[in-house]
């Protein structure tokens, strides 16, 4: 094209003033304009590709930026783009701009698959993401040299694949150290689309932030055995001077901590009020309660919890966003593990049970005395006493509307030699992960022989009954012997009823006239 322009210019110079020269001049301007237009088109295409990249990555991409397959596909697409534009333009600047974009990452989804000429060669087209590789809920330091990252992951990936993790500490002073992580799946196979994963990062070289200059814990999550495809993200950050070794050894802030499972459904505010007053009294002043709202903390429930929150006795965490990730029972295994690590060094003992269950000590013993006998164990389980949530005495002398639930639900399922779920308490400092009914990832001994020391009364389903829980009334004679109801045997059990006046007085003295309405 350059040769054609030169010959045209020579012809024009040989015939000055000729009308043909003017026409040739216009053609020359036209030919000079074409490379400029081609350059502008090339720049526009490059910018369009560049700006579309994050959009496609967010919606479609499932592989990391370090994925070999993503990079090779992107490069092929860029090569095709270079060939197409350079063949239609003589501008060297256009080719240079596209060549620079050759190293830019193009989403694999932008590449159209070529249809094979072979009708028996089938294609497989993937759209969207079924489950995330990792969903982090929390990351916590577990001591000088160890960390825990708590989250969810695609269950099929962990059941049928071999994903793994690696940890890196990137110090603020410019140094870094890596270690292979150890993963635990503590939900006993109950996961659904997502399973719970607790990633332990232990640096064998010691505290990676020993100079207290600060830094970041970076987690590498691999899709499978290959080290080529992974996601890399910052899980935890420590500011300079933030590390305090005294946090990880006793004395701790509390004697006892309650870690509650996910609260969901239409809960009775009256039952929550009674449960809270009883257990604040039971555990004493050096205790704290952590609740997790998965949709069950209505305005009525929040009102009965708020006085305890203001008094510093309770914390309510909003976890309603968990509903986006389909796990077992509102992700309760995720919640209890996050609570374990978040408050690992907050208390001597951490208790796990539900808001329709009441811990009880027989023979008038103190909790301190019982736990002193159990201190050699990392965890102990607690036997269940199953109570009816509808049977009450038919006593016309009593105003049931003003009595609390555990004050009038007085009949216990008396079946023996059957398995009942147990709840538990654990010394969290010795646990790496936990479950709903006990932990399988602890250092130290466990015991289940606690029947004569501690138990819990379970008022199953009573927490969702609004209004009066007494729905079936038994004659006074039911206080003696066994009463059959719905083919189950029940016996009279008034241990909790005897404590009701004490608990009501405690609530009044602690909160004042906050709760004056009838409990029902």
């Amino acid at each position: 094209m350059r040769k054609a322009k030169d010959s045209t210019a020579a012809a024009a110079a040989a015939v000055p003033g000729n009308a043909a020269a003017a026409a040739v001049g216009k053609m020359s301007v036209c030919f000079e304009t074409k490379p400029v237009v081609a350059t502008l088109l090339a720049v526009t295409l490059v910018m369009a590709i560049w700006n579309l990249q994050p959009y496609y990555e967010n919606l479609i991409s499932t592989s990391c930026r370090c994925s070999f397959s993503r990079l090779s596909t992107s490069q092929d697409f860029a090569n095709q783009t270079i060939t197409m534009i350079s063949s239609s333009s003589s501008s060297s600047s256009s080719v240079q701009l596209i060549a620079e974009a050759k190293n830019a990452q193009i989403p694999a989804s932008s590449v159209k698959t070529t249809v094979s000429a072979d009708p028996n060669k089938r294609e497989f087209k993937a759209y969207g993401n079924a489950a995330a590789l990792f969903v982090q809920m929390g990351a916590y330091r577990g001591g000088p040299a160890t960390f825990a990252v708590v989250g969810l992951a695609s269950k099929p990936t962990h059941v049928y694949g071999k994903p793994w993790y690696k940890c890196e500490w990137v110090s603020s002073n410019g140094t870094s150290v890596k270690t292979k992580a150890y993963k635990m799946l503590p939900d006993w196979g109950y996961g659904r689309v997502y399973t719970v994963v607790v990633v332990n990062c232990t640096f064998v070289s010691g505290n990676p932030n020993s100079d207290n200059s600060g830094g970041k814990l970076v987690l590498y999550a691999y899709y499978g055995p290959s080290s080529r495809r992974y996601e890399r993200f910052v899980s935890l950050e420590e500011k300079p001077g933030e590390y305090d070794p005294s946090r990880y050894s006793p004395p701790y802030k509390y004697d006892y901590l309650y870690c509650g499972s996910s609260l969901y459904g239409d809960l009775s505010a009256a039952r929550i009020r009674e449960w809270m007053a009883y257990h604040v009294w039971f555990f004493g002043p050096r205790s704290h309660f952590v609740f997790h709202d998965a949709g069950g903390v209505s305005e009525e429930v929040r009102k009965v919890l708020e006085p305890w929150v203001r008094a510093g006795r309770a914390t309510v965490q909003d976890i309603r966003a968990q509903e986006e990730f389909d796990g077992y029972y509102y992700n309760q295994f995720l919640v209890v593990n996050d609570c374990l690590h978040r408050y690992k060094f907050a208390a001597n003992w951490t208790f796990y049970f539900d808001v329709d269950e009441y811990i009880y000590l027989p023979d008038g013993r103190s909790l301190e005395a019982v736990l002193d006998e159990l201190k050699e164990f990392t965890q102990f389980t607690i036997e269940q006493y199953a109570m009816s949530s509808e049977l009450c005495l038919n006593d016309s002398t009593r105003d049931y509307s003003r009595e609390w639930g555990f004050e009038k639900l007085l009949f216990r399922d008396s079946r023996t030699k059957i398995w009942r779920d147990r709840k538990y308490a654990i010394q969290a400092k010795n646990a790496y992960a936990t479950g709903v009914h006990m932990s399988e990832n602890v250092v130290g001994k466990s015991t289940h022989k606690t029947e004569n020391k501690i138990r819990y009364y379970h008022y199953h389903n009573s927490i969702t009954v609004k209004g009066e829980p007494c729905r079936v009334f038994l004659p006074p004679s039911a206080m003696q012997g066994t009463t059959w109801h719905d083919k189950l045997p029940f016996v009279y059990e008034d241990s909790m009823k005897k404590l009701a006046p004490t608990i009501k007085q405690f609530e009044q003295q602690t909160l004042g006239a906050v709760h004056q309405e009838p409990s029902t």
Side-chain angles (χ1 to χ4, degrees), residues 56-65 67 69-70 107-109 126-134 221 223 229-231:
Y56 279 101
E57 280 185 338
N58 289 337
L59 290 181
I60 301 176
S61 172
T62 59
S63 59
C64 86
R65 296 183 179 180
S67 170
S69 61
R70 165 76 65 84
S109 56
Y127 303 95
N129 298 322
L133 180 65
F134 193 83
Y223 286 84
R229 296 186 64 224
Y230 61 86
E231 302 291 342

Side-chain angles (χ1 to χ4, degrees), residues 36-258:
V36 175
V37 173
T39 301
L40 291 174
L41 287 173
V43 172
T44 302
L45 181 58
V46 171
M47 295 304 295
I49 293 171
W50 183 266
N51 286 315
L52 283 173
Q53 176 185 353
Y55 173 78
Y56 279 101
E57 280 185 338
N58 289 337
L59 290 181
I60 301 176
S61 172
T62 59
S63 59
C64 86
R65 296 183 179 180
C66 299
S67 170
F68 177 77
S69 61
R70 165 76 65 84
L71 291 176
S72 61
T73 306
S74 303
Q75 201 161 26
D76 291 342
F77 183 80
N79 283 334
Q80 294 172 10
T81 307
I82 293 168
T83 304
M84 177 186 70
I85 296 181
S86 60
S87 64
S88 63
S89 171
S90 65
S91 172
S92 61
S93 60
S94 301
V95 177
Q96 182 179 0
L97 285 170
I98 300 297
E100 291 174 354
K102 183 177 181 179
N103 294 325
Q105 184 184 353
I106 310 298
S109 56
S110 301
V111 183
K112 294 183 179 180
T113 306
T114 303
V115 178
S116 173
D118 184 356
N120 293 319
K121 184 176 179 61
R122 304 299 301 276
E123 295 182 50
F124 298 88
K125 300 179 180 180
Y127 303 95
N129 298 322
L133 180 65
F134 193 83
V135 180
Q136 179 175 314
M137 182 176 183
Y140 310 98
R141 180 183 275 274
T146 185
F147 300 82
V149 184
V150 183
L152 297 168
S154 165
K155 183 176 179 179
T157 299
H158 282 267
V159 172
Y160 301 107
K162 295 182 179 179
W164 56 287
Y165 303 90
K166 183 169 64 178
C167 306
E168 179 183 20
W169 180 266
V170 181
S171 178
S172 299
N173 62 21
T175 62
S176 68
V177 58
K178 293 182 180 180
T179 185
K180 187 173 181 179
Y182 174 72
K183 72 172 185 179
M184 290 158 280
L185 308 178
D187 63 5
W188 299 357
Y190 284 118
R192 292 165 58 87
V193 174
Y194 285 95
T195 189
V196 178
V197 182
V198 177
V199 181
N200 177 269
C201 304
T202 299
F203 294 89
V204 295
S205 58
N207 186 359
N209 189 26
S210 57
D211 62 355
N212 218 348
S213 62
K216 298 177 181 179
L217 178 69
V218 178
L219 186 67
Y220 294 76
Y222 293 85
Y223 286 84
S226 172
S227 60
R228 290 184 175 183
R229 296 186 64 224
Y230 61 86
E231 302 291 342
R232 179 183 185 275
F233 51 90
V234 176
S235 289
L236 178 148
E237 183 173 0
E238 283 185 348
K239 298 177 181 179
E242 183 178 349
Y243 172 68
D244 181 3
S246 66
R247 295 179 184 175
Y248 309 103
S249 58
Y252 302 124
K253 185 175 182 180
Y254 305 111
D255 290 332
Y256 315 113
L257 183 84
Y258 169 77

Side-chain angles (χ1 to χ4, degrees), residues 337-455:
N337 275 279
D338 181 81
C339 192
L340 173 80
H341 289 285
R342 188 180 185 90
Y343 296 95
K344 189 171 187 176
F345 301 99
N348 298 323
W349 289 93
T350 300
F351 283 76
Y352 290 92
F353 58 101
D354 294 328
V355 290
D356 58 356
E357 299 167 345
Y358 288 71
I359 307 296
Y360 179 82
L361 301 174
D363 303 325
R365 304 186 65 190
S366 69
L367 181 59
E368 183 180 7
V370 170
L371 295 183
D372 187 60
E373 295 180 7
L374 297 170
K375 63 183 179 183
E376 64 177 296
F377 300 100
T378 290
Q379 70 175 339
F380 63 87
T381 60
I382 308 171
E383 184 183 24
Q384 176 186 165
Y385 276 34
M387 302 294 290
S388 169
S389 59
E390 62 179 5
L391 296 179
C392 297
L393 280 176
N394 187 4
D395 187 349
S396 60
T397 64
R398 296 165 59 179
D399 183 359
Y400 284 112
S401 67
R402 305 194 66 85
E403 291 187 0
W404 286 10
F406 64 81
E407 194 176 1
K408 52 193 173 184
L409 296 171
L410 305 175
F411 290 90
R412 173 172 59 86
D413 182 343
S414 61
R415 287 177 295 169
T416 59
K417 296 181 181 180
I418 65 170
W419 170 256
R420 299 187 193 276
D421 286 335
R422 300 172 76 96
K423 294 304 168 67
Y424 70 106
I426 193 169
Q427 296 190 58
K429 63 183 179 182
N430 296 329
Y432 293 103
T434 198
V436 174
H437 298 289
M438 64 175 293
S439 171
E440 293 182 333
N441 304 96
V442 298
V443 175
K445 300 183 297 180
S446 301
T447 183
H448 308 287
K449 297 179 179 181
T450 60
E451 292 82 357
N452 298 324
K453 295 179 172 63
I454 188 170
R455 61 178 178 248

